[in-house]
Amino acid sequence: MHKIVLIPGDGIGPEVSAATRKIIEATGVAIDWYVEEAGAHVFEKTGELVPDSVYRAIDKYRIALKGPITTPVGTGFKSINVSLRQKYHLYANVRPVKSYPGMARNQSVDLVIFRENTEDLYAGREEQISPDEVHGIKVITRKASEDIARAAFQYARTNGRRQVTAVHKANIMKLADGLFLDAVRTVSKEYPEIDYNEVIVDNMCMQLVMYPEKYDVLVSENLYGDILSDLSAGLVGGLGLVPGANIGKDCAIFEAVHGSAPDIAGQGKANPIALTLSAAMMLEYLKEHTAASRIRNAVGQALKKKENLTPDLNGNGTTETLTEAIIHEL
Ligand code: NAI
Ligand code: MG
């Protein structure tokens, strides 16, 4: 019996996590869920965004499936998502982006993005110099850069991938991105069988839109990795389809790339596939390989029928119709 913390989150989080839980349960894998509330609705009730019980549960079970949590823009509290990644040192954010027939603008996208998850401009070090001047400090360390590089190369080796591309802006940020690149180059030497190359981030955005098939595994800093993830999601049919995992040494939190989607929350039209595929990554992590591949196949089959699809995929279906279709395919 696997013991897993389930954080439904807010916005569309509760809708897509309920759907995902149903789909996992349909595979027959035995799971004890420890449901923990966190997010805007908890704050309204208790004045706390993340109750201590959430941390206690993750401390104990070391694995969580998490829905999105809203973060206010400009003012207010620090992102809970970023806090969790930092607290549990979940240094590798892994996001596979693959085209499904009929969904994608480009049929040959098969990328895995490795985004450094603990530092960079997300370290939260901003200084008010004067009312009219703010400094945001970009933190890059050799250790974190080598760790994310090793995660990317090791993944490439284990999964028979041919190439790793480091994405950077070291032409401008010579010290910060220079250190990142230097660390990735050092690690690349441990993997002579994998092709290694480097692309500057702005060019990378154009390359991905025009020639995504040329790229395989990408490794980048936190901010560029965040942006490249959503850009790549756009290539394959949107954020409703792209899963993710935050992985540390002995703890992991699985969550989709997308956020709480306030524009569609509570309307029953959120696409549950991104979180469902994140749960498939979780099942791989738990060595439930058969259940994971059954889920991926069922998703692929369900996507073939237009009547199942949610509006983000140009369908007239709902979270429920798509969830039932996936369960039917299982
Ligand atoms: P978003 O990812 O929530 O939404 C962007 C667009 O994609 C929206 O039009 C939304 O309707 C659509 N979309 C996203 N997921 C979808 C799904 N499963 N099905 C159908 N359509 C979907 O990004 P946005 O609007 O920039 O952020 C909203 C909030 O989410 C913010 O407070 C942000 O801080 C938070 N956020 C949280 C994350 C997390 O918990 N890991 C990650 C990203 C954002
Ligand atoms: Mg993001």
Side-chain angles (χ1 to χ4, degrees), residues 12 16 66-72 81 85 230 239-240 255-264 269-272 274 312:
I12 59 170
V16 292
K66 177 185 161 298
I69 298 178
T70 306
T71 310
N81 309 305
R85 294 165 189 172
D230 280 37
L239 284 165
E255 64 180 331
V257 173
H258 67 70
S260 55
D263 51 340
I264 57 164
K269 38 184 199 194
N271 186 339
D312 57 305

Side-chain angles (χ1 to χ4, degrees), residues 49-318:
L49 275 158
V50 185
D52 256 358
S53 61
V54 176
Y55 291 120
R56 277 201 303 275
I58 301 176
D59 282 338
K60 186 161 174 199
Y61 300 114
R62 318 300 297 173
I63 178 163
L65 180 66
K66 177 185 161 298
I69 298 178
T70 306
T71 310
V73 174
T75 57
F77 54 84
K78 181 179 166 174
S79 162
I80 294 167
N81 309 305
V82 172
S83 302
L84 285 171
R85 294 165 189 172
Q86 289 170 348
K87 179 169 166 62
Y88 293 102
H89 199 66
L90 307 174
Y91 62 91
N93 193 329
V94 186
R95 295 167 157 183
V97 188
K98 201 169 162 29
S99 7
Y100 282 100
M103 296 296 128
R105 284 162 197 273
N106 184 314
Q107 284 309 315
S108 46
V109 181
D110 188 4
L111 301 164
V112 186
I113 299 171
F114 280 77
R115 163 188 177 191
E116 201 292 321
N117 219 9
T118 61
E119 55 182 31
D120 190 1
L121 286 159
Y122 292 54
R125 288 170 60 178
E126 294 189 306
E127 266 174 56
Q128 187 90 44
I129 305 301
S130 77
D132 300 313
E133 184 172 348
V134 169
H135 294 184
I137 298 171
K138 173 164 182 165
V139 179
I140 298 291
T141 65
R142 185 177 301 280
K143 167 88 172 67
S145 305
E146 285 190 0
D147 284 349
I148 192 66
R150 200 161 279 113
F153 277 99
Q154 194 55 41
Y155 176 93
R157 175 174 281 171
T158 320
N159 292 278
R161 296 279 182 155
R162 64 195 150 85
Q163 171 188 263
V164 172
T165 303
V167 187
H168 67 94
K169 190 81 186 179
N171 49 330
I172 306 299
M173 280 158 277
K174 294 180 193 296
L175 289 181
D177 288 24
L179 174 57
F180 174 77
L181 265 193
D182 191 57
V184 183
R185 283 176 193 163
T186 304
V187 171
S188 74
K189 304 217 165 67
E190 298 165 21
Y191 298 85
E193 80 280 18
I194 314 273
D195 288 345
Y196 171 62
N197 60 11
E198 298 167 354
V199 180
I200 295 174
V201 62
D202 35 357
N203 176 27
M204 190 73 214
C205 291
M206 185 208 69
Q207 294 291 328
L208 284 176
V209 171
M210 295 192 70
Y211 317 109
E213 67 283 355
K214 284 194 191 163
Y215 298 92
D216 189 358
V217 175
L218 308 181
V219 60
S220 200
E221 295 167 10
N222 206 337
L223 176 61
Y224 310 145
D226 192 0
I227 296 168
L228 293 171
S229 301
D230 280 37
L231 184 148
S232 305
L235 299 174
V236 298
L239 284 165
L241 293 176
V242 179
N246 303 286
I247 311 270
K249 288 263 179 295
D250 64 347
C251 182
I253 299 182
F254 296 83
E255 64 180 331
V257 173
H258 67 70
S260 55
D263 51 340
I264 57 164
Q267 300 172 25
K269 38 184 199 194
N271 186 339
I273 289 181
L275 191 64
T276 296
L277 293 174
S278 309
M281 293 176 79
M282 180 181 80
L283 291 171
E284 295 281 7
Y285 180 90
L286 293 169
K287 308 224 172 340
E288 296 281 0
H289 301 295
T290 310
S293 76
R294 283 181 64 211
I295 289 182
R296 279 194 289 262
N297 290 336
V299 165
Q301 290 304 322
L303 282 172
K304 287 185 182 157
K305 303 198 185 90
K306 181 129 175 104
E307 68 270 20
N308 297 332
L309 305 181
T310 42
D312 57 305
L313 303 175
N314 300 318
N316 303 315
T318 61

